[in-house]
Amino acid sequence: MANADIIKLHDGNLMPQLGLGVWQASNEQVVGAITKALEVGYRSIDTAAAYHNEEGVGRALKQSALPRDALFITTKLWNDDQQHPADALQRSLEKLGLDYVDLWLMHWPVPAKAHYVDAWKGMIALQQQGLVKSIGVCNFNIDHLQKIMDETGVRPVINQIELHPYLQQRQLQVWNATHQIQTESWSPLARAGEGIFEQKLIHRLAEKYRKTPAQIVIRWHLDNGLVVIPKSVTPARIEENFNVWDFRLDKEELALFAGLDCGKRLGPDPERFGA
């Protein structure tokens, strides 16, 4: 099975385009999921302090025979820790059993509390100390992104946002790309389908390429240049989600997905969450 394609971030660091998300997985579940994922070929793991499973991620990494520089580990700064990013990062590193993380993301802007600019300044300082290779954000709208860039002159390498066929966020994708900020999709399968897998377009493409609906949707993300982190703790599904490197959707097929976009947000609204 082929390895994931590699994305070059604007700071020069390299990141696998397809990784494993571990949201809602327990510490016990995550050990088995990551062990299977690394066996299949994944090299990128996306966790967060708020997932309460960094210890399990650390155990799985410790058990792996892969060298540290072959892995790409992402974790996130939680909302309540925005005023104390150094302490938060130290806790994450201890739980993960790592000297550094490859990517550290601010989990939400929480604009009502107005700490996100200072949090970003703290993240920049910690990157300069070598505790983080790359820094980015999650769930930032254009005004949030513009503000941290205006205040610090430092662009995030990633903006990880809810993105799936029902919520394509094309304006934000274009803005990110214009500023060389890589868009990364969370909930890429819209919570295990959420009706998307029943769409006639997805079924037709699955039959054409002899793939599952989930594989078609993951390929849609990849062919749009998005970084994607489907979550699963099921060994067969973990393998299925990675087996997407032997086909591509053509331009006409990709264009048809625009008709599925209905602005259906399944997660929180970034303007209000955490207030």
Side-chain angles (χ1 to χ4, degrees), residues 128-154:
Q128 291 169 344
Q129 294 173 33
L131 298 174
V132 182
K133 296 292 186 183
S134 296
I135 54 174
V137 297
C138 304
N139 305 300
F140 271 47
N141 291 336
I142 292 171
D143 59 328
H144 309 138
L145 292 163
Q146 192 68 63
K147 188 171 179 61
I148 61 171
M149 289 163 54
D150 289 345
E151 294 274 351
T152 67
V154 177

mmCIF file with all atom_site columns, all heavy atoms in Angstrom, residues 128-154:
data_model
loop_
_atom_site.group_PDB
_atom_site.id
_atom_site.type_symbol
_atom_site.label_atom_id
_atom_site.label_alt_id
_atom_site.label_comp_id
_atom_site.label_asym_id
_atom_site.label_entity_id
_atom_site.label_seq_id
_atom_site.pdbx_PDB_ins_code
_atom_site.Cartn_x
_atom_site.Cartn_y
_atom_site.Cartn_z
_atom_site.occupancy
_atom_site.B_iso_or_equiv
_atom_site.pdbx_formal_charge
_atom_site.auth_seq_id
_atom_site.auth_comp_id
_atom_site.auth_asym_id
_atom_site.auth_atom_id
_atom_site.pdbx_PDB_model_num
ATOM 1   N N   . GLN A 1 128 ? 9.947   29.133 18.723 1.00 0.00 ? 128 GLN A N   1
ATOM 2   C CA  . GLN A 1 128 ? 11.310  29.636 18.666 1.00 0.00 ? 128 GLN A CA  1
ATOM 3   C C   . GLN A 1 128 ? 12.229  28.884 19.625 1.00 0.00 ? 128 GLN A C   1
ATOM 4   O O   . GLN A 1 128 ? 13.436  28.802 19.402 1.00 0.00 ? 128 GLN A O   1
ATOM 5   C CB  . GLN A 1 128 ? 11.318  31.136 18.964 1.00 0.00 ? 128 GLN A CB  1
ATOM 6   C CG  . GLN A 1 128 ? 10.677  31.973 17.860 1.00 0.00 ? 128 GLN A CG  1
ATOM 7   C CD  . GLN A 1 128 ? 10.435  33.418 18.251 1.00 0.00 ? 128 GLN A CD  1
ATOM 8   O OE1 . GLN A 1 128 ? 10.471  33.782 19.427 1.00 0.00 ? 128 GLN A OE1 1
ATOM 9   N NE2 . GLN A 1 128 ? 10.157  34.275 17.263 1.00 0.00 ? 128 GLN A NE2 1
ATOM 10  N N   . GLN A 1 129 ? 11.659  28.318 20.679 1.00 0.00 ? 129 GLN A N   1
ATOM 11  C CA  . GLN A 1 129 ? 12.433  27.536 21.639 1.00 0.00 ? 129 GLN A CA  1
ATOM 12  C C   . GLN A 1 129 ? 12.669  26.105 21.170 1.00 0.00 ? 129 GLN A C   1
ATOM 13  O O   . GLN A 1 129 ? 13.383  25.346 21.824 1.00 0.00 ? 129 GLN A O   1
ATOM 14  C CB  . GLN A 1 129 ? 11.724  27.515 22.994 1.00 0.00 ? 129 GLN A CB  1
ATOM 15  C CG  . GLN A 1 129 ? 11.650  28.865 23.693 1.00 0.00 ? 129 GLN A CG  1
ATOM 16  C CD  . GLN A 1 129 ? 10.795  28.820 24.947 1.00 0.00 ? 129 GLN A CD  1
ATOM 17  O OE1 . GLN A 1 129 ? 10.744  27.815 25.649 1.00 0.00 ? 129 GLN A OE1 1
ATOM 18  N NE2 . GLN A 1 129 ? 10.100  29.922 25.229 1.00 0.00 ? 129 GLN A NE2 1
ATOM 19  N N   . GLY A 1 130 ? 12.046  25.712 20.062 1.00 0.00 ? 130 GLY A N   1
ATOM 20  C CA  . GLY A 1 130 ? 12.239  24.379 19.516 1.00 0.00 ? 130 GLY A CA  1
ATOM 21  C C   . GLY A 1 130 ? 11.324  23.313 20.088 1.00 0.00 ? 130 GLY A C   1
ATOM 22  O O   . GLY A 1 130 ? 11.489  22.125 19.795 1.00 0.00 ? 130 GLY A O   1
ATOM 23  N N   . LEU A 1 131 ? 10.334  23.720 20.891 1.00 0.00 ? 131 LEU A N   1
ATOM 24  C CA  . LEU A 1 131 ? 9.404   22.747 21.469 1.00 0.00 ? 131 LEU A CA  1
ATOM 25  C C   . LEU A 1 131 ? 8.300   22.360 20.495 1.00 0.00 ? 131 LEU A C   1
ATOM 26  O O   . LEU A 1 131 ? 7.591   21.386 20.714 1.00 0.00 ? 131 LEU A O   1
ATOM 27  C CB  . LEU A 1 131 ? 8.787   23.322 22.748 1.00 0.00 ? 131 LEU A CB  1
ATOM 28  C CG  . LEU A 1 131 ? 9.788   23.632 23.869 1.00 0.00 ? 131 LEU A CG  1
ATOM 29  C CD1 . LEU A 1 131 ? 9.100   24.329 25.024 1.00 0.00 ? 131 LEU A CD1 1
ATOM 30  C CD2 . LEU A 1 131 ? 10.477  22.350 24.339 1.00 0.00 ? 131 LEU A CD2 1
ATOM 31  N N   . VAL A 1 132 ? 8.173   23.121 19.429 1.00 0.00 ? 132 VAL A N   1
ATOM 32  C CA  . VAL A 1 132 ? 7.169   22.902 18.389 1.00 0.00 ? 132 VAL A CA  1
ATOM 33  C C   . VAL A 1 132 ? 7.834   23.178 17.046 1.00 0.00 ? 132 VAL A C   1
ATOM 34  O O   . VAL A 1 132 ? 8.545   24.168 16.910 1.00 0.00 ? 132 VAL A O   1
ATOM 35  C CB  . VAL A 1 132 ? 5.984   23.882 18.565 1.00 0.00 ? 132 VAL A CB  1
ATOM 36  C CG1 . VAL A 1 132 ? 4.930   23.624 17.516 1.00 0.00 ? 132 VAL A CG1 1
ATOM 37  C CG2 . VAL A 1 132 ? 5.390   23.792 19.950 1.00 0.00 ? 132 VAL A CG2 1
ATOM 38  N N   . LYS A 1 133 ? 7.617   22.301 16.085 1.00 0.00 ? 133 LYS A N   1
ATOM 39  C CA  . LYS A 1 133 ? 8.177   22.533 14.754 1.00 0.00 ? 133 LYS A CA  1
ATOM 40  C C   . LYS A 1 133 ? 7.350   23.547 13.959 1.00 0.00 ? 133 LYS A C   1
ATOM 41  O O   . LYS A 1 133 ? 7.897   24.448 13.332 1.00 0.00 ? 133 LYS A O   1
ATOM 42  C CB  . LYS A 1 133 ? 8.257   21.208 13.980 1.00 0.00 ? 133 LYS A CB  1
ATOM 43  C CG  . LYS A 1 133 ? 9.197   20.176 14.582 1.00 0.00 ? 133 LYS A CG  1
ATOM 44  C CD  . LYS A 1 133 ? 10.643  20.599 14.487 1.00 0.00 ? 133 LYS A CD  1
ATOM 45  C CE  . LYS A 1 133 ? 11.569  19.481 14.971 1.00 0.00 ? 133 LYS A CE  1
ATOM 46  N NZ  . LYS A 1 133 ? 12.983  19.899 14.960 1.00 0.00 ? 133 LYS A NZ  1
ATOM 47  N N   . SER A 1 134 ? 6.027   23.368 13.977 1.00 0.00 ? 134 SER A N   1
ATOM 48  C CA  . SER A 1 134 ? 5.131   24.258 13.230 1.00 0.00 ? 134 SER A CA  1
ATOM 49  C C   . SER A 1 134 ? 3.955   24.632 14.122 1.00 0.00 ? 134 SER A C   1
ATOM 50  O O   . SER A 1 134 ? 3.554   23.861 14.994 1.00 0.00 ? 134 SER A O   1
ATOM 51  C CB  . SER A 1 134 ? 4.611   23.577 11.960 1.00 0.00 ? 134 SER A CB  1
ATOM 52  O OG  . SER A 1 134 ? 5.662   23.300 11.049 1.00 0.00 ? 134 SER A OG  1
ATOM 53  N N   . ILE A 1 135 ? 3.407   25.821 13.880 1.00 0.00 ? 135 ILE A N   1
ATOM 54  C CA  . ILE A 1 135 ? 2.246   26.266 14.662 1.00 0.00 ? 135 ILE A CA  1
ATOM 55  C C   . ILE A 1 135 ? 1.118   26.677 13.723 1.00 0.00 ? 135 ILE A C   1
ATOM 56  O O   . ILE A 1 135 ? 1.347   27.213 12.635 1.00 0.00 ? 135 ILE A O   1
ATOM 57  C CB  . ILE A 1 135 ? 2.600   27.420 15.618 1.00 0.00 ? 135 ILE A CB  1
ATOM 58  C CG1 . ILE A 1 135 ? 3.257   28.587 14.875 1.00 0.00 ? 135 ILE A CG1 1
ATOM 59  C CG2 . ILE A 1 135 ? 3.479   26.931 16.755 1.00 0.00 ? 135 ILE A CG2 1
ATOM 60  C CD1 . ILE A 1 135 ? 3.499   29.817 15.758 1.00 0.00 ? 135 ILE A CD1 1
ATOM 61  N N   . GLY A 1 136 ? -0.093  26.427 14.183 1.00 0.00 ? 136 GLY A N   1
ATOM 62  C CA  . GLY A 1 136 ? -1.259  26.768 13.383 1.00 0.00 ? 136 GLY A CA  1
ATOM 63  C C   . GLY A 1 136 ? -2.477  26.938 14.263 1.00 0.00 ? 136 GLY A C   1
ATOM 64  O O   . GLY A 1 136 ? -2.365  27.038 15.489 1.00 0.00 ? 136 GLY A O   1
ATOM 65  N N   . VAL A 1 137 ? -3.640  26.950 13.643 1.00 0.00 ? 137 VAL A N   1
ATOM 66  C CA  . VAL A 1 137 ? -4.892  27.192 14.357 1.00 0.00 ? 137 VAL A CA  1
ATOM 67  C C   . VAL A 1 137 ? -5.968  26.240 13.858 1.00 0.00 ? 137 VAL A C   1
ATOM 68  O O   . VAL A 1 137 ? -5.822  25.600 12.814 1.00 0.00 ? 137 VAL A O   1
ATOM 69  C CB  . VAL A 1 137 ? -5.356  28.656 14.182 1.00 0.00 ? 137 VAL A CB  1
ATOM 70  C CG1 . VAL A 1 137 ? -4.351  29.622 14.789 1.00 0.00 ? 137 VAL A CG1 1
ATOM 71  C CG2 . VAL A 1 137 ? -5.608  28.981 12.706 1.00 0.00 ? 137 VAL A CG2 1
ATOM 72  N N   . CYS A 1 138 ? -7.046  26.193 14.627 1.00 0.00 ? 138 CYS A N   1
ATOM 73  C CA  . CYS A 1 138 ? -8.240  25.454 14.224 1.00 0.00 ? 138 CYS A CA  1
ATOM 74  C C   . CYS A 1 138 ? -9.437  26.389 14.321 1.00 0.00 ? 138 CYS A C   1
ATOM 75  O O   . CYS A 1 138 ? -9.508  27.223 15.235 1.00 0.00 ? 138 CYS A O   1
ATOM 76  C CB  . CYS A 1 138 ? -8.514  24.274 15.155 1.00 0.00 ? 138 CYS A CB  1
ATOM 77  S SG  . CYS A 1 138 ? -7.199  23.082 15.366 1.00 0.00 ? 138 CYS A SG  1
ATOM 78  N N   . ASN A 1 139 ? -10.361 26.232 13.412 1.00 0.00 ? 139 ASN A N   1
ATOM 79  C CA  . ASN A 1 139 ? -11.665 26.891 13.531 1.00 0.00 ? 139 ASN A CA  1
ATOM 80  C C   . ASN A 1 139 ? -11.584 28.417 13.495 1.00 0.00 ? 139 ASN A C   1
ATOM 81  O O   . ASN A 1 139 ? -12.440 29.096 14.060 1.00 0.00 ? 139 ASN A O   1
ATOM 82  C CB  . ASN A 1 139 ? -12.354 26.425 14.824 1.00 0.00 ? 139 ASN A CB  1
ATOM 83  C CG  . ASN A 1 139 ? -12.458 24.922 14.898 1.00 0.00 ? 139 ASN A CG  1
ATOM 84  O OD1 . ASN A 1 139 ? -13.063 24.288 14.048 1.00 0.00 ? 139 ASN A OD1 1
ATOM 85  N ND2 . ASN A 1 139 ? -11.824 24.334 15.910 1.00 0.00 ? 139 ASN A ND2 1
ATOM 86  N N   . PHE A 1 140 ? -10.571 28.955 12.851 1.00 0.00 ? 140 PHE A N   1
ATOM 87  C CA  . PHE A 1 140 ? -10.438 30.405 12.732 1.00 0.00 ? 140 PHE A CA  1
ATOM 88  C C   . PHE A 1 140 ? -11.137 30.888 11.472 1.00 0.00 ? 140 PHE A C   1
ATOM 89  O O   . PHE A 1 140 ? -10.920 30.352 10.379 1.00 0.00 ? 140 PHE A O   1
ATOM 90  C CB  . PHE A 1 140 ? -8.959  30.806 12.678 1.00 0.00 ? 140 PHE A CB  1
ATOM 91  C CG  . PHE A 1 140 ? -8.332  31.057 14.025 1.00 0.00 ? 140 PHE A CG  1
ATOM 92  C CD1 . PHE A 1 140 ? -8.509  30.162 15.070 1.00 0.00 ? 140 PHE A CD1 1
ATOM 93  C CD2 . PHE A 1 140 ? -7.568  32.189 14.250 1.00 0.00 ? 140 PHE A CD2 1
ATOM 94  C CE1 . PHE A 1 140 ? -7.933  30.380 16.313 1.00 0.00 ? 140 PHE A CE1 1
ATOM 95  C CE2 . PHE A 1 140 ? -6.987  32.426 15.498 1.00 0.00 ? 140 PHE A CE2 1
ATOM 96  C CZ  . PHE A 1 140 ? -7.171  31.522 16.534 1.00 0.00 ? 140 PHE A CZ  1
ATOM 97  N N   . ASN A 1 141 ? -11.960 31.891 11.628 1.00 0.00 ? 141 ASN A N   1
ATOM 98  C CA  . ASN A 1 141 ? -12.550 32.576 10.489 1.00 0.00 ? 141 ASN A CA  1
ATOM 99  C C   . ASN A 1 141 ? -11.570 33.630 9.972  1.00 0.00 ? 141 ASN A C   1
ATOM 100 O O   . ASN A 1 141 ? -10.526 33.887 10.584 1.00 0.00 ? 141 ASN A O   1
ATOM 101 C CB  . ASN A 1 141 ? -13.882 33.209 10.874 1.00 0.00 ? 141 ASN A CB  1
ATOM 102 C CG  . ASN A 1 141 ? -14.960 32.171 11.156 1.00 0.00 ? 141 ASN A CG  1
ATOM 103 O OD1 . ASN A 1 141 ? -14.890 31.040 10.661 1.00 0.00 ? 141 ASN A OD1 1
ATOM 104 N ND2 . ASN A 1 141 ? -15.946 32.546 11.947 1.00 0.00 ? 141 ASN A ND2 1
ATOM 105 N N   . ILE A 1 142 ? -11.924 34.259 8.871  1.00 0.00 ? 142 ILE A N   1
ATOM 106 C CA  . ILE A 1 142 ? -10.993 35.199 8.230  1.00 0.00 ? 142 ILE A CA  1
ATOM 107 C C   . ILE A 1 142 ? -10.604 36.340 9.160  1.00 0.00 ? 142 ILE A C   1
ATOM 108 O O   . ILE A 1 142 ? -9.427  36.717 9.243  1.00 0.00 ? 142 ILE A O   1
ATOM 109 C CB  . ILE A 1 142 ? -11.608 35.740 6.915  1.00 0.00 ? 142 ILE A CB  1
ATOM 110 C CG1 . ILE A 1 142 ? -11.688 34.607 5.880  1.00 0.00 ? 142 ILE A CG1 1
ATOM 111 C CG2 . ILE A 1 142 ? -10.798 36.912 6.373  1.00 0.00 ? 142 ILE A CG2 1
ATOM 112 C CD1 . ILE A 1 142 ? -12.462 34.963 4.618  1.00 0.00 ? 142 ILE A CD1 1
ATOM 113 N N   . ASP A 1 143 ? -11.575 36.893 9.906  1.00 0.00 ? 143 ASP A N   1
ATOM 114 C CA  . ASP A 1 143 ? -11.234 38.018 10.778 1.00 0.00 ? 143 ASP A CA  1
ATOM 115 C C   . ASP A 1 143 ? -10.307 37.602 11.904 1.00 0.00 ? 143 ASP A C   1
ATOM 116 O O   . ASP A 1 143 ? -9.417  38.367 12.308 1.00 0.00 ? 143 ASP A O   1
ATOM 117 C CB  . ASP A 1 143 ? -12.501 38.681 11.327 1.00 0.00 ? 143 ASP A CB  1
ATOM 118 C CG  . ASP A 1 143 ? -13.386 37.740 12.120 1.00 0.00 ? 143 ASP A CG  1
ATOM 119 O OD1 . ASP A 1 143 ? -13.422 36.533 11.794 1.00 0.00 ? 143 ASP A OD1 1
ATOM 120 O OD2 . ASP A 1 143 ? -14.045 38.209 13.069 1.00 0.00 ? 143 ASP A OD2 1
ATOM 121 N N   . HIS A 1 144 ? -10.446 36.379 12.409 1.00 0.00 ? 144 HIS A N   1
ATOM 122 C CA  . HIS A 1 144 ? -9.535  35.888 13.448 1.00 0.00 ? 144 HIS A CA  1
ATOM 123 C C   . HIS A 1 144 ? -8.123  35.729 12.887 1.00 0.00 ? 144 HIS A C   1
ATOM 124 O O   . HIS A 1 144 ? -7.142  36.116 13.536 1.00 0.00 ? 144 HIS A O   1
ATOM 125 C CB  . HIS A 1 144 ? -10.003 34.538 13.991 1.00 0.00 ? 144 HIS A CB  1
ATOM 126 C CG  . HIS A 1 144 ? -11.436 34.502 14.416 1.00 0.00 ? 144 HIS A CG  1
ATOM 127 N ND1 . HIS A 1 144 ? -12.275 33.436 14.125 1.00 0.00 ? 144 HIS A ND1 1
ATOM 128 C CD2 . HIS A 1 144 ? -12.197 35.406 15.085 1.00 0.00 ? 144 HIS A CD2 1
ATOM 129 C CE1 . HIS A 1 144 ? -13.474 33.682 14.625 1.00 0.00 ? 144 HIS A CE1 1
ATOM 130 N NE2 . HIS A 1 144 ? -13.460 34.869 15.198 1.00 0.00 ? 144 HIS A NE2 1
ATOM 131 N N   . LEU A 1 145 ? -8.036  35.160 11.702 1.00 0.00 ? 145 LEU A N   1
ATOM 132 C CA  . LEU A 1 145 ? -6.731  34.976 11.054 1.00 0.00 ? 145 LEU A CA  1
ATOM 133 C C   . LEU A 1 145 ? -6.055  36.316 10.781 1.00 0.00 ? 145 LEU A C   1
ATOM 134 O O   . LEU A 1 145 ? -4.863  36.502 11.057 1.00 0.00 ? 145 LEU A O   1
ATOM 135 C CB  . LEU A 1 145 ? -6.905  34.205 9.742  1.00 0.00 ? 145 LEU A CB  1
ATOM 136 C CG  . LEU A 1 145 ? -7.336  32.745 9.868  1.00 0.00 ? 145 LEU A CG  1
ATOM 137 C CD1 . LEU A 1 145 ? -7.862  32.231 8.538  1.00 0.00 ? 145 LEU A CD1 1
ATOM 138 C CD2 . LEU A 1 145 ? -6.175  31.878 10.349 1.00 0.00 ? 145 LEU A CD2 1
ATOM 139 N N   . GLN A 1 146 ? -6.826  37.252 10.243 1.00 0.00 ? 146 GLN A N   1
ATOM 140 C CA  . GLN A 1 146 ? -6.260  38.563 9.924  1.00 0.00 ? 146 GLN A CA  1
ATOM 141 C C   . GLN A 1 146 ? -5.729  39.253 11.171 1.00 0.00 ? 146 GLN A C   1
ATOM 142 O O   . GLN A 1 146 ? -4.668  39.888 11.139 1.00 0.00 ? 146 GLN A O   1
ATOM 143 C CB  . GLN A 1 146 ? -7.310  39.432 9.242  1.00 0.00 ? 146 GLN A CB  1
ATOM 144 C CG  . GLN A 1 146 ? -6.750  40.707 8.623  1.00 0.00 ? 146 GLN A CG  1
ATOM 145 C CD  . GLN A 1 146 ? -5.859  40.417 7.432  1.00 0.00 ? 146 GLN A CD  1
ATOM 146 O OE1 . GLN A 1 146 ? -6.315  39.884 6.419  1.00 0.00 ? 146 GLN A OE1 1
ATOM 147 N NE2 . GLN A 1 146 ? -4.576  40.743 7.529  1.00 0.00 ? 146 GLN A NE2 1
ATOM 148 N N   . LYS A 1 147 ? -6.430  39.103 12.279 1.00 0.00 ? 147 LYS A N   1
ATOM 149 C CA  . LYS A 1 147 ? -6.041  39.779 13.506 1.00 0.00 ? 147 LYS A CA  1
ATOM 150 C C   . LYS A 1 147 ? -4.706  39.254 14.035 1.00 0.00 ? 147 LYS A C   1
ATOM 151 O O   . LYS A 1 147 ? -3.815  40.038 14.390 1.00 0.00 ? 147 LYS A O   1
ATOM 152 C CB  . LYS A 1 147 ? -7.122  39.644 14.568 1.00 0.00 ? 147 LYS A CB  1
ATOM 153 C CG  . LYS A 1 147 ? -6.869  40.499 15.815 1.00 0.00 ? 147 LYS A CG  1
ATOM 154 C CD  . LYS A 1 147 ? -8.062  40.510 16.734 1.00 0.00 ? 147 LYS A CD  1
ATOM 155 C CE  . LYS A 1 147 ? -7.823  41.343 17.987 1.00 0.00 ? 147 LYS A CE  1
ATOM 156 N NZ  . LYS A 1 147 ? -7.557  42.771 17.690 1.00 0.00 ? 147 LYS A NZ  1
ATOM 157 N N   . ILE A 1 148 ? -4.537  37.937 14.091 1.00 0.00 ? 148 ILE A N   1
ATOM 158 C CA  . ILE A 1 148 ? -3.262  37.425 14.624 1.00 0.00 ? 148 ILE A CA  1
ATOM 159 C C   . ILE A 1 148 ? -2.106  37.744 13.680 1.00 0.00 ? 148 ILE A C   1
ATOM 160 O O   . ILE A 1 148 ? -0.983  37.994 14.124 1.00 0.00 ? 148 ILE A O   1
ATOM 161 C CB  . ILE A 1 148 ? -3.317  35.918 14.947 1.00 0.00 ? 148 ILE A CB  1
ATOM 162 C CG1 . ILE A 1 148 ? -3.612  35.069 13.706 1.00 0.00 ? 148 ILE A CG1 1
ATOM 163 C CG2 . ILE A 1 148 ? -4.309  35.633 16.062 1.00 0.00 ? 148 ILE A CG2 1
ATOM 164 C CD1 . ILE A 1 148 ? -3.456  33.569 13.954 1.00 0.00 ? 148 ILE A CD1 1
ATOM 165 N N   . MET A 1 149 ? -2.387  37.773 12.386 1.00 0.00 ? 149 MET A N   1
ATOM 166 C CA  . MET A 1 149 ? -1.336  38.118 11.432 1.00 0.00 ? 149 MET A CA  1
ATOM 167 C C   . MET A 1 149 ? -0.960  39.591 11.537 1.00 0.00 ? 149 MET A C   1
ATOM 168 O O   . MET A 1 149 ? 0.223   39.955 11.520 1.00 0.00 ? 149 MET A O   1
ATOM 169 C CB  . MET A 1 149 ? -1.789  37.747 10.014 1.00 0.00 ? 149 MET A CB  1
ATOM 170 C CG  . MET A 1 149 ? -1.844  36.250 9.770  1.00 0.00 ? 149 MET A CG  1
ATOM 171 S SD  . MET A 1 149 ? -2.828  35.749 8.314  1.00 0.00 ? 149 MET A SD  1
ATOM 172 C CE  . MET A 1 149 ? -2.086  36.722 7.021  1.00 0.00 ? 149 MET A CE  1
ATOM 173 N N   . ASP A 1 150 ? -1.956  40.465 11.679 1.00 0.00 ? 150 ASP A N   1
ATOM 174 C CA  . ASP A 1 150 ? -1.683  41.895 11.815 1.00 0.00 ? 150 ASP A CA  1
ATOM 175 C C   . ASP A 1 150 ? -0.913  42.198 13.099 1.00 0.00 ? 150 ASP A C   1
ATOM 176 O O   . ASP A 1 150 ? -0.032  43.060 13.125 1.00 0.00 ? 150 ASP A O   1
ATOM 177 C CB  . ASP A 1 150 ? -2.992  42.689 11.806 1.00 0.00 ? 150 ASP A CB  1
ATOM 178 C CG  . ASP A 1 150 ? -3.667  42.731 10.443 1.00 0.00 ? 150 ASP A CG  1
ATOM 179 O OD1 . ASP A 1 150 ? -2.993  42.395 9.446  1.00 0.00 ? 150 ASP A OD1 1
ATOM 180 O OD2 . ASP A 1 150 ? -4.860  43.092 10.386 1.00 0.00 ? 150 ASP A OD2 1
ATOM 181 N N   . GLU A 1 151 ? -1.249  41.473 14.170 1.00 0.00 ? 151 GLU A N   1
ATOM 182 C CA  . GLU A 1 151 ? -0.646  41.743 15.473 1.00 0.00 ? 151 GLU A CA  1
ATOM 183 C C   . GLU A 1 151 ? 0.769   41.189 15.609 1.00 0.00 ? 151 GLU A C   1
ATOM 184 O O   . GLU A 1 151 ? 1.575   41.701 16.373 1.00 0.00 ? 151 GLU A O   1
ATOM 185 C CB  . GLU A 1 151 ? -1.529  41.155 16.579 1.00 0.00 ? 151 GLU A CB  1
ATOM 186 C CG  . GLU A 1 151 ? -2.887  41.821 16.723 1.00 0.00 ? 151 GLU A CG  1
ATOM 187 C CD  . GLU A 1 151 ? -2.865  43.053 17.605 1.00 0.00 ? 151 GLU A CD  1
ATOM 188 O OE1 . GLU A 1 151 ? -1.830  43.304 18.242 1.00 0.00 ? 151 GLU A OE1 1
ATOM 189 O OE2 . GLU A 1 151 ? -3.885  43.770 17.629 1.00 0.00 ? 151 GLU A OE2 1
ATOM 190 N N   . THR A 1 152 ? 1.063   40.109 14.872 1.00 0.00 ? 152 THR A N   1
ATOM 191 C CA  . THR A 1 152 ? 2.352   39.418 15.079 1.00 0.00 ? 152 THR A CA  1
ATOM 192 C C   . THR A 1 152 ? 3.207   39.309 13.823 1.00 0.00 ? 152 THR A C   1
ATOM 193 O O   . THR A 1 152 ? 4.404   39.049 13.922 1.00 0.00 ? 152 THR A O   1
ATOM 194 C CB  . THR A 1 152 ? 2.113   37.990 15.602 1.00 0.00 ? 152 THR A CB  1
ATOM 195 O OG1 . THR A 1 152 ? 1.484   37.200 14.572 1.00 0.00 ? 152 THR A OG1 1
ATOM 196 C CG2 . THR A 1 152 ? 1.247   38.004 16.858 1.00 0.00 ? 152 THR A CG2 1
ATOM 197 N N   . GLY A 1 153 ? 2.598   39.444 12.652 1.00 0.00 ? 153 GLY A N   1
ATOM 198 C CA  . GLY A 1 153 ? 3.346   39.246 11.417 1.00 0.00 ? 153 GLY A CA  1
ATOM 199 C C   . GLY A 1 153 ? 3.630   37.785 11.109 1.00 0.00 ? 153 GLY A C   1
ATOM 200 O O   . GLY A 1 153 ? 4.361   37.479 10.168 1.00 0.00 ? 153 GLY A O   1
ATOM 201 N N   . VAL A 1 154 ? 3.044   36.872 11.892 1.00 0.00 ? 154 VAL A N   1
ATOM 202 C CA  . VAL A 1 154 ? 3.298   35.436 11.721 1.00 0.00 ? 154 VAL A CA  1
ATOM 203 C C   . VAL A 1 154 ? 2.008   34.743 11.276 1.00 0.00 ? 154 VAL A C   1
ATOM 204 O O   . VAL A 1 154 ? 0.988   34.822 11.959 1.00 0.00 ? 154 VAL A O   1
ATOM 205 C CB  . VAL A 1 154 ? 3.812   34.797 13.025 1.00 0.00 ? 154 VAL A CB  1
ATOM 206 C CG1 . VAL A 1 154 ? 3.992   33.285 12.844 1.00 0.00 ? 154 VAL A CG1 1
ATOM 207 C CG2 . VAL A 1 154 ? 5.126   35.447 13.447 1.00 0.00 ? 154 VAL A CG2 1
#
